[in-house]
Amino acid sequence: MDSIKKWLPRLADALFPRRCPFCGALLGADALQGTVCPACVPEEMRLQHIPPRLPEGEHSFYALSQAAAAYYYADTVRSAILRCKRGGSPWRARELADRMAVLVFGALPARRVGGLPQYLGVAMLPLYNCIVPVPPRQPLPGVPGLPLLLARRLGQVLRIPVETPLSVRPGTRPQKELSRDERLQNARGAFVCQPGADLTGKRVLLVDDIITTGATASACALALLQAGATDVTVAAVAVAEELPKEKRKKTK
Ligand SMILES: [Zn+2]
């Protein structure tokens, strides 16, 4: 049984070789940290959000203890995320989650292409008790959304269980049609925990693909706190913030 467990992932990697999440190129031994192809490295580094922790002044965070993102939502990162939307590219979601593990949670990059990043968190004292994905507003039946795919992979790396207690309150308008103030108003109360969901005493890691105003993450956190969670931190692949000057693309 153990040998099957060991060989199955290798077989899967042989049948479905790992690819760069940004351009889709097959990854070779020269991939940066086992995930990014050499051609995409400069862009990937340019778009990293360093440090990953998000400044509170620029977003509307309430009910959240902390917020972090691996990248700025721009250019090649933006197109990678858009390709994963609506469940479009599960393998890309896995690679993006691995980048989050490294850039946000300080996991050691996989030693080889296809390996799992190594998270050295203290096993006896988990930082979080569970991972909860932000639920999709317009779910496609049977298709896991990007936050759920990210949460599953991060759960594997950080060794914490994934729970899905949140759902969208029926009748809520989609955020993208709205202005910043409208978003805040619309999001508040837009998420509920399913009846019976008990998060008493749990520290929750909330996972989303993009943080725009923070309104969605904050509203989810509020629902989680109401279900008994003691503490909610949100982590996303990317944040929609203006790129710092030195990170902007140079135009001639
Ligand atoms: Zn690439």
Side-chain angles (χ1 to χ4, degrees), residues 20 22-23 25 37 40:
C20 170
F22 302 107
C23 69
C37 83
C40 289

Side-chain angles (χ1 to χ4, degrees), residues 19-25 27 35-41 76:
R19 290 171 180 275
C20 170
F22 302 107
C23 69
L27 292 174
T35 312
V36 185
C37 83
C40 289
V41 168
T76 184

Side-chain angles (χ1 to χ4, degrees), residues 110-156:
R111 280 204 210 105
R112 57 174 182 89
V113 172
L116 198 69
Q118 295 299 304
Y119 180 62
L120 303 174
V122 186
M124 303 296 288
L125 260 178
L127 217 44
Y128 307 101
N129 301 104
C130 61
I131 298 192
V132 172
V134 169
R137 286 181 183 257
Q138 293 147 306
L140 293 176
V143 180
L146 179 52
L148 177 57
L149 292 173
L150 295 169
R152 282 182 185 158
R153 178 67 172 185
L154 276 174
Q156 236 182 324

Side-chain angles (χ1 to χ4, degrees), residues 31-224:
L32 173 78
Q33 305 188 333
T35 312
V36 185
C37 83
C40 289
V41 168
E43 271 295 275
E44 197 265 354
M45 302 217 347
R46 178 175 73 89
L47 294 171
Q48 286 181 10
H49 195 285
I50 304 170
R53 190 167 174 170
L54 303 183
E56 221 155 295
E58 288 192 38
H59 305 274
S60 325
F61 295 139
Y62 61 91
L64 285 161
S65 298
Q66 283 187 65
Y71 296 107
Y72 289 92
Y73 185 57
D75 306 324
T76 184
V77 167
R78 183 170 177 272
S79 43
I81 292 175
L82 290 178
R83 280 165 198 255
C84 298
K85 282 279 186 185
R86 317 285 282 164
S89 191
W91 66 265
R92 207 183 294 264
R94 175 185 60 188
E95 303 300 345
L96 290 176
D98 284 7
R99 293 311 290 151
M100 282 175 78
V102 171
L103 296 172
V104 177
F105 297 99
L108 295 179
R111 280 204 210 105
R112 57 174 182 89
V113 172
L116 198 69
Q118 295 299 304
Y119 180 62
L120 303 174
V122 186
M124 303 296 288
L125 260 178
L127 217 44
Y128 307 101
N129 301 104
C130 61
I131 298 192
V132 172
V134 169
R137 286 181 183 257
Q138 293 147 306
L140 293 176
V143 180
L146 179 52
L148 177 57
L149 292 173
L150 295 169
R152 282 182 185 158
R153 178 67 172 185
L154 276 174
Q156 236 182 324
V157 176
L158 305 179
R159 298 185 297 274
I160 37 183
V162 177
E163 292 186 24
T164 52
L166 288 171
S167 53
V168 179
R169 198 188 290 277
T172 310
R173 286 163 70 195
Q175 289 285 84
K176 58 182 168 200
E177 301 168 1
L178 307 172
S179 74
R180 186 187 167 96
D181 285 346
E182 285 174 326
R183 277 179 182 231
L184 256 177
Q185 206 52 42
N186 184 56
R188 220 177 247 271
F191 297 91
V192 280
C193 269
Q194 281 132 31
D198 184 11
L199 296 167
T200 306
K202 288 191 177 169
R203 304 196 66 195
V204 178
L205 175 61
L206 181 67
V207 174
D208 204 352
D209 42 15
I210 312 156
I211 291 175
T212 308
T213 57
T216 295
S218 298
C220 287
L222 188 65
L224 295 167

